Amino acid sequence: MEGPTPVSALIHAATMVTAGVYLITRSSAVFNLAPTAQLATVCVGAVTLIFGAIVGCAKDDIKKALAGSTMSQIGYMVMAAGLGPIGYVFAIMHLVTHGFFKAGLFLGAGSVMHGMNDEVDMRKYGGLRKYMPLTFVTFGLGYLAIIGFPFLSGFFSKDKIIEAAFAKGGTEGWILGCAALVGAGVTAFYMTRVMLMTFFGDKRWVPTPDVSGSAAGEGHEPHPHDPPRTMGIPMVVLAIGSVAAGGLFTINSCFVNWLTPVTGHQEGNSPLGSLSISLITLVIIAAGAAVAWLMYGRKPVPAVPPLGSPVTRAPGATCTRTTSTMWSWSAAGSTSPASWSIWTPRASTAWSTASRRWSAGCPDGCARSRPAMSAPTPCRCSAARWCWSPRLS
């Protein structure tokens, strides 16, 4: 699903990934006659909404974090569609509201990339709200909508799905409802993480490496700025939809009344009242956002992602990354250590004259030495996620 950012906005918000939700809902007459298929659908949706949210927590690439968010929100829609007449309407309602704030978030990410020399690593952002106020406001409104901030679009559509999950009744209702609440908390965490790493804190920009092969090896420092009108106007329109669409759909239950003749609608019997579910959801959302603030708002964002546990780290992982800003390299044909141009913002490096070896210092304690004239063979170690070794241009 990779592509230019405007294409990503369309794919994730309104076309390909949401087609399955529409298909299930439009085929409601068939699904109503197949309880086993409905059970499989809600199970897939519940697992997906949690798994996608966890994926979003692990990504430093701003577009990949939003892509994980899309997986999670689609999980909400699929789960609602699998609930039958209790959730069909709300699956489509969330599909529409999600289209507004997710397209706005992707266009906001594109605006950030436009102002940061196409950099996508959020660890190289920071403090952009001062330089990109329009992007900050529109992206921020999309952020508030997707986490379910009161009276924004996501609050009206996603909360209805959580209520429908509990209204399923019995043990299944409790399991699905709790899964939806967990997803809401994790969504608040990773989206707050995106906001803090991108728009708050100190700037962490580094010059973009010059890969043209010049001996100087000079790069260009980003100069973040808001986008031109051709980019800004769509962002504003989508931000307005992120704020107002959900509320408009609930006036006199117009959205429910519009789709009921096609999909049918039932209220269900929830063990908890709507107000109770909303309050519980808001507390969980606040907790998720608070944890993100404690981790990324109170202290500087590290330049290197944490190593992780042995459970999450692949055995024998390759230490060398191929992204240009993670390499150390020399000018073309150069063999002198003094001529190496260092572009290693993620770790310190040092040249040892006595041993004539290039020592790559890794923040997790993994240090590997390679011969000075070695080919760019990746160093390997089981204790670190990455290291650096010399690379001749």
Side-chain angles (χ1 to χ4, degrees):
M1 295 188 297
E2 294 183 0
T5 302
V7 177
S8 296
L10 289 174
I11 289 175
H12 285 259
T15 54
M16 187 175 71
V17 297
T18 56
V21 178
Y22 173 81
L23 178 62
I24 294 173
T25 306
R26 196 66 181 88
S27 304
S28 57
V30 177
F31 274 82
N32 291 339
L33 299 176
T36 303
Q38 287 183 322
L39 177 61
T41 301
V42 295
C43 290
V44 169
V47 171
T48 301
L49 73 88
I50 295 177
F51 178 77
I54 294 173
V55 169
C57 297
K59 298 299 183 181
D60 292 333
D61 184 316
I62 187 171
K63 289 180 67 176
K64 290 183 179 180
L66 294 178
S69 168
T70 299
M71 292 172 57
S72 179
Q73 299 305 306
I74 297 300
Y76 275 102
M77 301 176 206
V78 170
M79 185 181 72
L83 292 173
I86 301 174
Y88 286 137
V89 171
F90 303 126
I92 298 299
M93 182 177 176
H94 194 54
L95 186 153
V96 177
T97 58
H98 173 262
F100 282 107
F101 52 72
K102 183 52 61 66
L105 288 169
F106 264 104
L107 291 185
S111 175
V112 171
M113 292 166 57
H114 174 75
M116 295 294 292
N117 293 348
D118 290 328
E119 178 61 66
V120 296
D121 189 349
M122 293 185 292
R123 295 183 183 274
K124 298 187 179 69
Y125 292 166
L128 293 181
R129 71 186 188 280
K130 303 175 184 177
Y131 304 90
M132 309 178 73
L134 176 64
T135 304
F136 170 64
V137 171
T138 55
F139 194 97
L141 290 174
Y143 151 73
L144 292 175
I146 195 172
I147 69 172
F149 191 82
F151 308 115
L152 272 67
S153 291
F155 171 79
F156 292 102
S157 59
K158 190 162 66 175
D159 276 27
K160 287 295 184 181
I161 294 177
I162 298 175
E163 292 178 23
F166 279 106
K168 183 68 174 176
T171 304
E172 183 181 352
W174 280 103
I175 293 174
L176 295 176
C178 290
L181 289 175
V182 170
V186 181
T187 298
F189 170 80
Y190 71 75
M191 286 305 304
T192 303
R193 173 180 179 267
V194 170
M195 283 293 296
L196 292 174
M197 292 180 69
T198 302
F199 295 102
F200 293 87
D202 299 328
K203 70 175 187 178
R204 302 180 297 276
W205 317 333
V206 296
T208 303
D210 181 6
V211 295
S212 61
S214 63
E218 296 181 354
H220 304 283
E221 183 170 337
H223 297 285
H225 56 278
D226 268 326
R229 290 184 180 180
T230 52
M231 297 171 64
I233 292 176
M235 292 164 57
V236 171
V237 172
L238 292 168
I240 294 173
S242 301
V243 172
L248 293 175
F249 292 160
T250 58
I251 295 176
N252 296 324
S253 299
C254 61
F255 200 89
V256 174
N257 295 334
W258 177 51
L259 282 184
T260 296
V262 178
T263 63
H265 181 64
Q266 298 176 4
E267 292 296 335
N269 297 310
S270 175
L272 301 174
S274 297
L275 180 59
S276 299
I277 293 176
S278 294
L279 291 176
I280 294 172
T281 303
L282 289 177
V283 170
I284 292 175
I285 289 172
V291 171
W293 181 76
L294 290 173
M295 294 180 63
Y296 298 95
R298 293 187 60 187
K299 51 188 178 182
V301 176
V304 180
L307 177 61
S309 68
V311 177
T312 60
R313 185 173 64 247
T318 299
C319 299
T320 303
R321 293 288 296 274
T322 56
T323 305
S324 59
T325 55
M326 299 178 191
W327 276 102
S328 300
W329 71 87
S330 71
S334 173
T335 58
S336 171
S339 67
W340 284 73
S341 299
I342 313 303
W343 293 98
T344 54
R346 294 187 178 230
S348 60
T349 57
W351 173 267
S352 174
T353 304
S355 62
R356 290 184 57 78
R357 301 172 79 84
W358 183 271
S359 176
C362 297
D364 47 38
C366 168
R368 292 290 181 270
S369 295
R370 306 289 299 178
M373 295 301 105
S374 67
T377 303
C379 62
R380 301 183 68 85
C381 61
S382 59
R385 182 175 296 177
W386 46 64
C387 302
W388 285 264
S389 60
R391 171 175 177 240
L392 296 180
S393 299

